Amino acid sequence: MSGKLYLVGTPIGNLGDFSPRAVETLESVDFIAAEDTRVTLKLLNHFNIRKPLVSYYEHNKYASGAKIFARIEAGESCALVTDAGMPAISDPGEDIVRLCAENGVEVLTVPGPSALVSALALSGLPTQRFCFEGFLAVSGKSRREHLESLRDEPRTMIFYEAPHKLLRTLEDMRSVFGGDRRISLCRELTKLHEETLRTELDGAVAHFTETPPRGEFVLVIEGAAPVTAEATQEDALALVEKYRSEGLSRKAACKRAAAETGFKANELYSASIED
């Protein structure tokens, strides 16, 4: 009889977020497959857990994954963990989950912290529909092609980014999506220096041009505004006046009207002044 694979979510920064059930699961399995055994060992030591560790990460996932699966199929139980967050999400764990699923091996989840969902909740942007795009490519061409494919994506978009690539990525996003597209940048989630910056792509580029980014980032970007064939510039300007009458500044009113009609905010701003 085969064993089971447990997907165990680990803290994304604060060890206090590790659940009692996660601790119990790690204590009960035969062995633990970890992205970085050194990182996981610190977690195990903190909770006084003593279990054998095997390495499983992007560059050894095929060789190590086959060995892990063979042990599970032979009857051992395994907990799969990453350095932070849920395994199999933007993580090679998806391959071993698929292997187990294809061969009738039971896979169970022990939910834990997730940077992408946490950042989405903090963003202040629409949360009902969203898409997760993970890390963008290092190659400038591939990164631009990826972003170009999302130019008209209406859902809120979530990306991961490293600090040394952040500014270049923001500049590419501004070029593709426009400087007035809203963005929320979360860094060091649940850690001592957790910070959320809510701004627009113009503001994000300006901020991180002056302030070198530090820590891992989750970027949450507003989706493209639906373009309605019925909307005219007159309709958009009427919305501008409506929002101004409700107390918004001209600039803020133009941005909101632009998001609802598909017109550019700067065009509405200029037209509203002329009127």
Side-chain angles (χ1 to χ4, degrees):
M1 182 176 178
S2 64
K4 298 177 182 179
L5 175 67
Y6 294 87
L7 307 178
V8 181
T10 54
I12 58 176
N14 191 321
L15 291 176
D17 294 333
F18 203 46
S19 73
R21 182 173 169 233
V23 173
E24 291 171 5
T25 301
L26 294 189
E27 290 175 334
S28 69
V29 295
D30 294 300
F31 69 103
I32 299 168
E35 179 180 3
D36 186 328
T37 56
R38 296 166 299 182
V39 172
T40 299
L41 186 59
K42 294 177 182 178
L43 177 70
L44 299 184
N45 288 340
H46 182 83
F47 290 97
N48 198 29
I49 299 170
R50 301 287 183 265
K51 287 292 173 177
L53 286 169
V54 298
S55 175
Y56 180 78
Y57 61 101
E58 182 64 33
H59 299 297
N60 77 348
K61 64 182 180 181
Y62 298 114
S64 184
K67 294 176 183 177
I68 292 168
F69 175 75
R71 292 179 64 175
I72 297 172
E73 198 171 36
E76 293 187 80
S77 59
C78 171
L80 179 66
V81 300
T82 67
D83 292 349
M86 279 301 297
I89 303 299
S90 194
D91 172 78
E94 66 178 287
D95 293 311
I96 197 167
V97 171
R98 180 166 52 249
L99 184 61
C100 287
E102 290 172 349
N103 289 276
V105 172
E106 188 173 9
V107 181
L108 301 170
T109 183
V110 182
S114 171
L116 73 96
V117 173
S118 299
L120 177 65
L122 286 168
S123 70
L125 295 172
T127 62
Q128 288 188 330
R129 298 184 64 207
F130 62 91
C131 59
F132 175 56
E133 297 296 322
F135 285 97
L136 290 166
V138 175
S139 162
K141 180 181 178 182
S142 298
R143 186 170 60 250
R144 284 295 297 260
E145 288 175 351
H146 188 163
L147 293 173
E148 287 287 354
S149 73
L150 296 168
R151 181 186 293 273
D152 299 318
E153 172 57 62
R155 295 171 295 178
T156 301
M157 297 170 283
I158 306 170
F159 300 83
Y160 288 162
E161 195 52 281
H164 67 279
K165 295 194 302 177
L166 180 68
L167 184 56
R168 183 173 54 182
T169 292
L170 290 173
E171 289 171 341
D172 283 346
M173 287 177 168
R174 178 175 64 176
S175 176
V176 173
F177 300 139
D180 58 356
R181 186 75 69 94
R182 290 187 295 168
I183 181 172
S184 170
L185 303 97
C186 297
R187 73 177 191 92
E188 299 293 271
L189 284 169
T190 76
K191 299 178 184 177
L192 180 61
H193 299 293
E194 175 179 334
E195 180 182 29
T196 298
L197 173 65
R198 301 177 186 87
T199 181
E200 295 165 352
L201 282 167
D202 275 339
V205 170
H207 177 80
F208 288 106
T209 296
E210 295 182 0
T211 307
R214 299 178 63 181
E216 299 298 318
F217 283 81
V218 184
L219 313 180
V220 185
I221 302 180
E222 178 181 32
V227 179
T228 55
E230 299 78 15
T232 64
Q233 188 179 73
E234 287 72 22
D235 296 327
L237 290 173
L239 278 176
V240 170
E241 292 308 311
K242 173 179 179 294
Y243 294 138
R244 289 187 66 197
S245 70
E246 293 174 357
L248 291 183
S249 67
R250 184 186 300 272
K251 182 178 180 181
C254 288
K255 287 178 180 176
R256 181 177 291 186
E260 294 181 18
T261 62
F263 287 92
K264 292 187 178 297
N266 57 355
E267 292 177 358
L268 294 181
Y269 189 89
S270 298
S272 68
I273 292 176
E274 291 173 2
D275 287 352

